[in-house]
Amino acid sequence: MYKENTYKILSNTPLTRDVYKMILEGDTQYITVPGQFVNIKLEGKFLRRPISVCDYDDSTITLIYKVVGEGTEYMSSLSPGFALDILTGLGNGYDISKSQNPLVIGGGVGIPPMYKLTKELVRNRQTPTVILGFNTKDDIFYEQEFKKICSDVIVTTVDGSYGVKGFVTDAFPDEYDYFYTCGPLPMFRAIYDVSKTSGQFSFEERMGCGFGACMGCSCKTKYADKRICKDGPVLVKEEIVW
């Protein structure tokens, strides 16, 4: 179930040169599992902007977003106290019942939803290994936040300027029983090819409505066409068609 409501910005601060963290105050009851997203109405823009939820509690939502266009550039300019019209509780999130020792793999702006997922896995007495992938040291965000909740956090950088040099797949451990991931498609394809177990992928797609009415984000799977906004964004490995 989704809900449209008004949320007040409590803070909106940069984490890197183009990545921002926004904390909003409002009704969070319709956000129920890690991996769901919100859809934000912005002044002067016809389509809402879908942003994955990094964290939430009884009264606040934390979003981390990258400035990539006019919409997110506008978001980065908003000050505390500004009110936003937001749809919450969108999408099907991660099912955390599948494993005991999973990999949690985030790449770039696919990292934020993995934070709440990791918190829930640890709270559920599971022991995740977290792999965070970036291009360079300057792109890194939320490393310390992950380390506060998980004892096994690995950071990779493509250029080797920090942590393990290479891609997230270069840091895979020998032992794990499942995986959860969010990030760019090339990373997904690499994980799909090298992973030894089943897992869940959270896909990004251009969306119209965000709740399944317009069919604009439909994609083919092995079993049926699915709408990323409503039937996803999380899909399991066995149903994915590249």
Side-chain angles (χ1 to χ4, degrees):
M1 183 176 182
Y2 66 90
K3 179 70 174 178
E4 181 178 11
N5 218 326
T6 300
Y7 295 78
K8 183 176 72 174
I9 297 175
L10 297 180
S11 64
N12 189 25
T13 55
L15 298 178
T16 71
R17 65 184 181 278
D18 56 5
V19 174
Y20 283 73
K21 175 182 177 179
M22 178 183 287
I23 300 178
L24 299 143
E25 182 180 49
D27 185 2
T28 65
Q29 65 177 304
Y30 297 98
I31 308 172
T32 57
V33 292
Q36 290 182 297
F37 66 96
V38 300
N39 222 5
I40 305 175
K41 185 176 182 179
L42 299 176
E43 184 178 347
K45 304 299 178 185
F46 178 69
L47 295 178
R48 292 174 181 261
R49 267 39 181 193
I51 306 289
S52 59
V53 175
C54 174
D55 199 7
Y56 60 92
D57 57 27
D58 290 342
S59 61
T60 66
I61 303 171
T62 299
L63 308 178
I64 293 178
Y65 62 96
K66 185 174 183 178
V67 176
V68 294
E70 291 182 359
T72 44
E73 172 118 27
Y74 172 71
M75 284 178 58
S76 72
S77 72
L78 300 177
S79 301
F82 190 87
L84 285 171
D85 181 316
I86 299 178
L87 293 174
T88 65
L90 297 172
N92 291 318
Y94 293 103
D95 179 354
I96 69 168
S97 68
K98 301 295 185 180
S99 66
Q100 183 57 42
N101 302 294
L103 289 181
V104 174
I105 313 152
V109 289
I111 287 171
M114 314 314 285
Y115 180 70
K116 182 63 172 179
L117 171 65
T118 301
K119 288 176 74 172
E120 291 302 301
L121 289 168
V122 171
R123 188 177 68 85
N124 202 42
R125 300 185 182 278
Q126 291 152 275
T127 53
T129 295
V130 176
I131 306 174
L132 308 176
F134 302 91
N135 286 323
T136 72
K137 180 179 179 180
D138 291 338
D139 297 321
I140 294 172
F141 63 89
Y142 250 54
E143 176 189 7
Q144 297 308 316
E145 284 80 358
F146 274 93
K147 286 184 173 179
K148 288 177 182 177
I149 59 172
C150 179
S151 61
D152 193 1
V153 178
I154 303 166
V155 175
T156 69
T157 53
V158 175
D159 67 355
S161 55
Y162 186 89
V164 176
K165 182 177 181 179
F167 301 102
V168 292
T169 48
D170 293 312
F172 270 36
D174 293 331
E175 300 296 329
Y176 59 95
D177 60 8
Y178 201 75
F179 68 86
Y180 304 90
T181 186
C182 185
L185 280 177
M187 186 187 88
F188 278 1
R189 290 177 181 268
I191 292 171
Y192 185 95
D193 289 340
V194 306
S195 56
K196 302 182 296 184
T197 69
S198 182
Q200 297 172 33
F201 296 75
S202 180
F203 283 83
E204 293 183 356
E205 190 63 61
R206 294 186 69 86
M207 297 177 185
C209 66
F211 48 82
C214 72
M215 309 297 290
C217 60
S218 295
C219 70
K220 292 187 178 296
T221 74
K222 290 182 180 178
Y223 310 119
D225 287 350
K226 289 193 173 183
R227 298 158 295 180
I228 291 298
C229 70
K230 186 172 180 63
D231 305 312
V234 175
L235 302 177
V236 297
K237 179 181 179 181
E238 289 74 19
E239 67 182 314
I240 295 171
V241 176
W242 296 113

